[in-house]
Amino acid sequence: MDKPMSAPYYGMLEEIHVMLVDHDKDFVTEMVDLLMTHDYKVTTVSSASTAMSMLSKGKKKIDVMIISVHSSNLISFELLAQTVALDIITLFICDEHNEILAKKALEEGAYLYLTKPFGEEIVKILWQFILRKNLQREKAREGLEKNEDQMNVDDTVGDNEEQHGEKKSVTNIEDQSNTFHEAENNVISNRKYELRRKRGRTRTKKINEEENSSIDTNKVVRRKTYMEWTVDLHAKFMKAVQQLGEGRCFPKEILVEMNVPGLTRMQVASHLQKCRRNKWRAPKERKYTRRRSCRGPSSDSQQRGSFRKFGKMPRLQTNVSNLQLNPNQTQKGLEFPFPTLSTDSILARGESSIQQQLYHPQLQVQPLNLSIDNSFNNPSLLALNNVGDGIQQQHEIFFEMLGSQGIQGQNIWNTNYRSGQVFDSGDHHTQSDYNLDFNAALGTTYSGSGTIFDTDVGNATVTDYNLNVNVDNLTTYSGSTVVSEGSVENMTINGLGAPTKNFQQYIGESNMFSPSNFVAASNESNIVGSGSHEKENSDAYFDFNNINTLFQNHGPPSANLPNEQGSEFYQVCSDDQVVTTQSVQFPGIASYPEKSSK
DNA sequence: ACAGAAATAT
DNA sequence: GATATTTCTG
């Protein structure tokens, strides 16, 4: 197709839907062509009445309505009234110029009155109307918000705001419109809900539609209050988050950083919430409603990690569409999922509902997901979950596993983790100098398939991430992946006791990374490459001693983790024996530093 | 005042 | 069924 500059003029608009109302087939064809050329989504309707019924169903989101008016078409004006009420930009198009008609149309709220044939220019700039209107609306909403804050009025909710305080009599709408129309909602057994109800949620658009027959053009009809998080907007959001640093991205700061007029803190917070849970999909993606139909763990185990993001920077899953955050680099949230296998650390087991109860927002809780396949196809033995508590600023981390003992048939082992230092991203503004050392020593046996080191390091701005893996005496290996899902700039593998040429297989087979600088050493050689093997120099250093068995996956499937395969469970960190990821990527945890004390 | 979870609206 | 908004709590 030849639409070289498609997106540019949409600004922050995702898609513009145009409805064209005309029975003149030729004209329709022509217009549709034209509109499509400029990337509008077009719906055509042959009559005004059809259009009206479509609108009333409200199935389709329409931004612009183009109504052809032939002869004295009363119904066209009815349609116009409706579109105006719905806050849809409406263009009247006539065969010939008619001043009276034009005036009337404009009076009734039409945006433009055009005569037939009209230049492409108009179509080109159509999007500006939308954007402008949106901006206006946002501004108005902002004003409203401010008003509410100031006068502490909490129920002017529904309608047009009297910005100039003149008549805040609106306050009186009280609860009358707060109907119980959804009374059959089963949930309402709770007192809380009753209370909530009393506060009232007045938001009946129907009312507006009726009463707005007399249109006041500069009054924003607050109807559809939804704003959509477009890909662009989301990209901005992500950029802001990154810029702020993952440990300190609060809605308010993100808002400021994003600098999008009209965007509210609430909206940012809400989006943040969504993202943390990894529940957000780009609008386009939503069409393909990913039915997780098969609850069975088999199908898409490593599809999207489904790590829930609490207190952490949301990592954009690969399927979160084509947001081009940084065109040249893939987005990699700084995240080291650490399905800690210490049974000590698994306080909650079984059903997630129970876990939910255990979960306290202010506690350090990490969601875990082992993303284990039904047949241990790709167990994630060790994944590091961006460790750090947001307070300490050390650049190193020292993990030690003592007395590890494999469990037959499982890919977990009993061990105590001791978390010494903290891996904190706070000081690394661009995350440009992480070092991670992984050191597994002594009689390690690895058999079966799985992932020893499963991490996804770095993000778009990582420039030189060093991963040093030191696996001594990895005597048996017959699996698939040692390091997976990583994207590591510099890689040092040390002490593998295997010829160099085989190293790649240790790095995994399918979804592996390809370090731009891959260095490996055999067991007796020392560090090769950048080699910050010493704890002192490393941002992260892992030393796993006495690991008798890492993997033994030959056991029956029944021998599984305490939780169900593929299910999520929470890890509650309450004391220092229990390990783990004390990271606070997203703030909100008790350990958040002083900051922003006003 | 504000972050975050959860309820609710669309 | 999903996303955005609003309420509510800490």
Side-chain angles (χ1 to χ4, degrees):
Chain A
M1 290 296 273
D2 56 341
K3 39 165 195 172
M5 29 130 36
S6 54
Y9 50 51
Y10 281 164
M12 50 181 281
L13 296 169
E14 175 82 355
E15 283 178 340
I16 299 181
H17 294 259
V18 179
M19 186 182 277
L20 179 58
V21 186
D22 196 347
H23 58 247
D24 178 352
K25 291 246 168 66
D26 292 337
F27 179 72
V28 166
T29 316
E30 192 184 319
M31 277 300 289
V32 168
D33 252 17
L34 186 56
L35 287 165
M36 303 257 275
T37 308
H38 291 278
D39 262 10
Y40 298 102
K41 309 287 176 200
V42 188
T43 306
T44 61
V45 170
S46 60
S47 76
S49 52
T50 318
M52 287 180 73
S53 71
M54 284 185 72
L55 283 182
S56 60
K57 279 176 193 155
K59 291 251 177 178
K60 206 152 200 159
K61 171 209 164 214
I62 300 293
D63 303 295
V64 178
M65 181 74 81
I66 300 178
I67 307 174
S68 276
V69 183
H70 307 281
S71 66
S72 60
N73 213 338
L74 275 184
I75 190 142
S76 294
F77 278 95
E78 277 181 53
L79 177 57
L80 174 61
Q82 193 179 356
T83 59
V84 169
L86 293 173
D87 208 14
I88 296 172
I89 289 169
T90 308
L91 274 51
F92 255 42
I93 300 179
C94 296
D95 290 314
E96 43 195 45
H97 187 65
N98 179 335
E99 272 181 34
I100 298 173
L101 196 59
K103 183 158 179 276
K104 180 141 193 275
L106 295 177
E107 273 174 356
E108 299 292 320
Y111 246 65
L112 288 176
Y113 176 91
L114 303 169
T115 48
K116 242 182 198 179
F118 57 88
E120 185 176 352
E121 284 306 308
I122 298 289
V123 174
K124 255 189 197 164
I125 62 166
L126 220 45
W127 64 273
Q128 293 185 19
F129 301 148
I130 321 285
L131 186 55
R132 201 182 74 151
K133 188 191 65 183
N134 286 355
L135 294 176
Q136 251 175 10
R137 188 187 341 197
E138 278 157 3
K139 207 173 266 176
R141 193 192 307 160
E142 220 174 34
L144 180 66
E145 238 174 35
K146 211 173 285 174
N147 265 3
E148 279 182 7
D149 282 355
Q150 278 172 358
M151 29 196 61
N152 202 7
V153 175
D154 68 351
D155 54 358
T156 56
V157 199
D159 322 52
N160 21 14
E161 59 300 280
E162 260 60 35
Q163 292 210 354
H164 316 300
E166 276 256 318
K167 22 161 132 177
K168 44 183 178 175
S169 56
V170 202
T171 319
N172 248 356
I173 54 178
E174 294 271 320
D175 298 336
Q176 49 174 8
S177 53
N178 178 25
T179 57
F180 279 62
H181 52 282
E182 81 274 54
E184 57 266 24
N185 256 344
N186 39 6
V187 206
I188 309 183
S189 53
N190 212 323
R191 273 189 298 271
K192 263 189 185 168
Y193 292 109
E194 319 260 29
L195 277 177
R196 183 166 297 161
R197 205 161 268 272
K198 279 190 187 130
R199 311 204 120 209
R201 292 191 162 191
T202 28
R203 184 159 306 255
T204 31
K205 63 182 169 200
K206 285 279 173 57
I207 292 176
N208 290 357
E209 289 178 21
E210 251 73 81
E211 296 176 354
N212 274 340
S213 52
S214 66
I215 305 96
D216 198 337
T217 25
N218 57 11
K219 200 139 280 180
V220 180
V221 182
R222 288 186 75 226
R223 189 181 160 268
K224 201 170 69 176
T225 47
Y226 269 40
M227 68 84 77
E228 183 172 69
W229 280 89
T230 64
V231 183
D232 279 349
L233 207 49
H234 179 70
K236 261 189 180 163
F237 168 86
M238 291 304 295
K239 197 176 163 198
V241 167
Q242 284 185 355
Q243 227 143 52
L244 288 166
E246 306 177 40
R248 59 199 73 187
C249 46
F250 296 87
K252 197 175 181 183
E253 289 168 307
I254 295 172
L255 180 66
V256 173
E257 185 67 35
M258 286 178 71
N259 190 26
V260 171
L263 193 64
T264 67
R265 185 182 59 82
M266 282 288 237
Q267 289 169 317
V268 172
S270 175
H271 191 61
L272 192 59
Q273 184 180 32
K274 208 102 221 259
C275 289
R276 279 184 182 142
R277 295 177 174 177
N278 212 347
K279 291 286 187 193
W280 188 82
R281 298 281 102 86
K284 276 180 187 167
E285 299 290 315
R286 292 171 200 160
K287 293 175 196 154
Y288 316 113
T289 40
R290 301 191 172 270
R291 293 262 167 282
R292 309 246 107 200
S293 55
C294 35
R295 273 260 157 259
S298 55
S299 68
D300 53 14
S301 63
Q302 57 196 40
Q303 238 250 60
R304 44 182 246 82
S306 79
F307 288 95
R308 295 240 231 113
K309 317 294 183 206
F310 288 98
K312 278 188 325 215
M313 171 63 190
R315 175 179 60 178
L316 294 181
Q317 302 297 329
T318 45
N319 70 340
V320 179
S321 90
N322 42 354
L323 36 112
Q324 296 127 349
L325 255 193
N326 266 333
N328 29 358
Q329 307 217 19
T330 26
Q331 162 92 14
K332 300 165 261 171
L334 239 209
E335 169 182 86
F336 307 129
F338 198 152
T340 306
L341 302 170
S342 157
T343 49
D344 289 343
S345 65
I346 303 171
L347 301 188
R349 64 200 70 194
E351 297 170 7
S352 53
S353 58
I354 299 176
Q355 292 145 10
Q356 292 282 8
Q357 289 170 355
L358 286 176
Y359 174 74
H360 185 291
Q362 304 300 351
L363 284 186
Q364 305 248 351
V365 179
Q366 290 294 333
L368 291 179
N369 181 313
L370 292 196
S371 57
I372 297 172
D373 263 354
N374 56 345
S375 55
F376 303 97
N377 279 338
N378 195 3
S380 187
L381 195 166
L382 210 208
L384 308 175
N385 200 348
N386 198 8
V387 188
D389 67 1
I391 293 179
Q392 303 185 42
Q393 299 289 320
Q394 278 94 338
H395 292 209
E396 53 183 296
I397 183 167
F398 179 72
F399 264 32
E400 198 169 13
M401 295 167 57
L402 303 168
S404 307
Q405 185 178 13
I407 295 178
Q408 191 81 10
Q410 300 186 21
N411 27 346
I412 66 171
W413 66 93
N414 295 319
T415 185
N416 291 316
Y417 297 82
R418 194 191 57 182
S419 110
Q421 287 86 19
V422 176
F423 189 51
D424 178 44
S425 61
D427 258 359
H428 305 270
H429 288 298
T430 57
Q431 326 285 7
S432 61
D433 57 349
Y434 283 113
N435 288 307
L436 248 179
D437 282 8
F438 172 89
N439 185 23
L442 273 185
T444 304
T445 299
Y446 173 64
S447 65
S449 59
T451 304
I452 292 182
F453 194 95
D454 181 7
T455 180
D456 186 354
V457 290
N459 55 29
T461 57
V462 166
T463 55
D464 84 326
Y465 193 104
N466 296 310
L467 173 62
N468 300 303
V469 177
N470 186 24
V471 190
D472 287 323
N473 287 318
L474 189 65
T475 52
T476 309
Y477 176 84
S478 63
S480 61
T481 308
V482 172
V483 180
S484 87
E485 288 191 351
S487 178
V488 183
E489 296 281 325
N490 298 298
M491 170 99 197
T492 301
I493 294 205
N494 185 40
L496 273 177
T500 306
K501 63 184 162 106
N502 286 340
F503 283 168
Q504 284 302 336
Q505 94 183 49
Y506 287 90
I507 299 173
E509 285 157 4
S510 48
N511 55 344
M512 286 318 79
F513 67 95
S514 40
S516 55
N517 178 21
F518 173 58
V519 184
S522 58
N523 40 2
E524 58 261 326
S525 73
N526 215 327
I527 317 302
V528 184
S530 59
S532 42
H533 178 61
E534 298 88 8
K535 303 164 197 164
E536 303 81 45
N537 295 337
S538 300
D539 283 333
Y541 177 86
F542 297 89
D543 188 6
F544 299 83
N545 292 310
N546 294 314
I547 301 174
N548 295 325
T549 307
L550 284 185
F551 279 179
Q552 292 227 322
N553 283 339
H554 306 308
S558 57
N560 208 335
L561 289 172
N563 59 326
E564 292 276 306
Q565 290 176 0
S567 71
E568 298 169 332
F569 62 95
Y570 297 94
Q571 183 176 26
V572 181
C573 316
S574 51
D575 65 20
D576 36 355
Q577 264 310 328
V578 184
V579 164
T580 96
T581 65
Q582 305 176 340
S583 81
V584 182
Q585 286 306 351
F586 281 116
I589 315 292
S591 60
Y592 184 68
E594 358 59 65
K595 246 212 149 216
S596 75
S597 53
K598 288 191 176 174

